[in-house]
Amino acid sequence: MKALILAAGYGSRLKPLTDDIPKSLVPVNGKPILLKQLENLYDCGVTDITVISGYRANMLEAAVHDRFRDVNIIHSPDYETTNNMYSAWLGREAVAGDDFLMMNADVFMDGSVIRALMDHDWPNAIVTDIGFYLEESMKVVEKGGRLTHIAKDIPADDALGASIDVYRFSPEAGAAFFAKCAEYIEGKNEKKLWSEVALDGILGDVEFRACPLDGRWYEIDDHDDLAAAERIFADE
C-alpha cells in the first residue's frame, strides 16, 4: 500500500499563520497537520509515501525530511494557478500499478481512521462520516451499497454523509481516476478542479463503497476550524 498526500495549498483563510508556513504545516495543539498524517501512515505500516508540495515548498520539505527522510516530495510549480486534481495528477507515476491511499493535507485525524480504511473489505473506498452534513465538505450518495456521487452541493436528504477527503484506490481504480484527470487536464486544459470531480466521473464504472469513519477528524480551512480542531484533539 502506498499513499499520496496533496499538500500544495496556500491556505489564505488561515492568514497570518500561512504568511510564513504552508497550510499543511499549520499546527493543531503544536502538531503540524501533515506530520500527524505521516505519523498515522507510518503507524499503519504505510511508508511508501509521496507528498505534492507547492507554497513554501522548501519549508515543507525540510519539516518532512527532518523526521521522515524516505518520503518522496514532488513540487508543483503551478500551485497558484491549479487545484488539487492537478496535484494528484503530478503524483500519478509514484502510485501507478499499486493500491494507494490519497488524502488532502488539511485534515487532522486519528490514526484509527487510516487503519479502518486499510482493513475495509472493499478495495475502493471513501472514508465517510455517516449521517454528518457540513456545507463546506464533500458529500456522498449511496445506492445499492455503492457510492454513486460525490460533490459539495449534494442536498442533505440525499447524502449518506460527509467525505473526509481520504480515499483508497485499487490499481484499476487508480488507473481510471488518473485517466479521468487526463481528460480534464490534458484534453480540456482545466487545471483548477477538485480531485473529486475526476473521482465522481468514474463512480459509474468503478465500484466505490463507504468506509465508515472510525475516530475523530477535522478539516482545517480557517481560524474557526483550527480552534475547533484544537478543542476536539485537546489530548494530542
Side-chain angles (χ1 to χ4, degrees):
M1 182 75 71
K2 296 183 177 181
L4 178 62
I5 304 178
L6 311 180
Y10 167 33
S12 60
R13 287 186 283 171
L14 283 164
K15 289 171 65 69
L17 291 175
T18 49
D19 287 343
D20 300 314
I21 60 173
K23 182 182 183 183
S24 63
L25 293 185
V26 168
V28 176
N29 299 325
K31 176 78 69 176
I33 305 167
L34 176 58
L35 298 189
K36 173 63 172 172
Q37 290 190 352
L38 292 172
E39 286 179 2
N40 291 343
L41 289 166
Y42 268 72
D43 287 346
C44 291
V46 180
T47 58
D48 192 330
I49 302 168
T50 296
V51 175
I52 309 300
S53 69
Y55 175 68
R56 299 281 184 180
N58 290 341
M59 180 176 289
L60 182 148
E61 182 172 350
V64 169
H65 285 165
D66 181 59
R67 291 190 53 200
F68 304 96
R69 293 187 178 277
D70 294 333
V71 169
N72 177 37
I73 298 177
I74 298 173
H75 179 57
S76 175
D78 301 317
Y79 69 89
E80 291 184 283
T81 58
T82 59
N83 208 327
N84 68 347
M85 183 194 293
Y86 187 77
S87 292
W89 171 247
L90 292 180
R92 65 194 183 280
E93 292 183 5
V95 297
D98 288 283
D99 296 282
F100 69 95
L101 310 178
M102 186 176 79
M103 62 197 73
N104 293 331
D106 60 0
V107 180
F108 203 86
M109 71 187 97
D110 287 321
S112 57
V113 175
I114 300 299
R115 174 56 62 194
L117 181 57
M118 294 179 66
D119 290 344
H120 195 261
D121 60 4
W122 195 253
N124 310 307
I126 299 174
V127 178
T128 305
D129 192 344
I130 295 173
F132 179 71
Y133 191 90
L134 186 65
E135 203 68 39
E136 277 290 306
S137 293
M138 292 286 172
K139 277 74 71 177
V140 295
V141 175
E142 181 186 63
K143 292 184 179 178
R146 67 182 289 169
L147 298 180
T148 59
H149 188 28
I150 180 169
K152 279 193 175 184
D153 60 357
I154 293 171
D157 289 345
D158 296 334
L160 174 68
S163 162
I164 76 163
D165 302 334
V166 180
Y167 309 103
R168 176 177 159 186
F169 293 82
S170 66
E172 296 76 19
F177 170 71
F178 290 122
K180 185 61 67 172
C181 291
E183 289 182 22
Y184 287 106
I185 294 168
E186 296 186 331
K188 301 178 182 179
N189 197 34
E190 294 187 27
K191 300 179 180 180
K192 298 187 73 172
L193 298 175
W194 297 107
S195 58
E196 286 81 7
V197 173
L199 179 55
D200 186 64
I202 67 169
L203 291 181
D205 300 315
V206 182
E207 184 172 351
F208 276 75
R209 296 182 183 177
C211 173
L213 175 72
D214 181 2
R216 300 167 297 175
W217 73 286
Y218 215 90
E219 181 180 0
I220 300 167
D221 287 321
D222 57 31
H223 289 276
D224 288 340
D225 293 338
L226 180 57
E230 292 194 325
R231 290 192 298 270
I232 291 169
F233 291 90
D235 59 338
E236 285 288 329

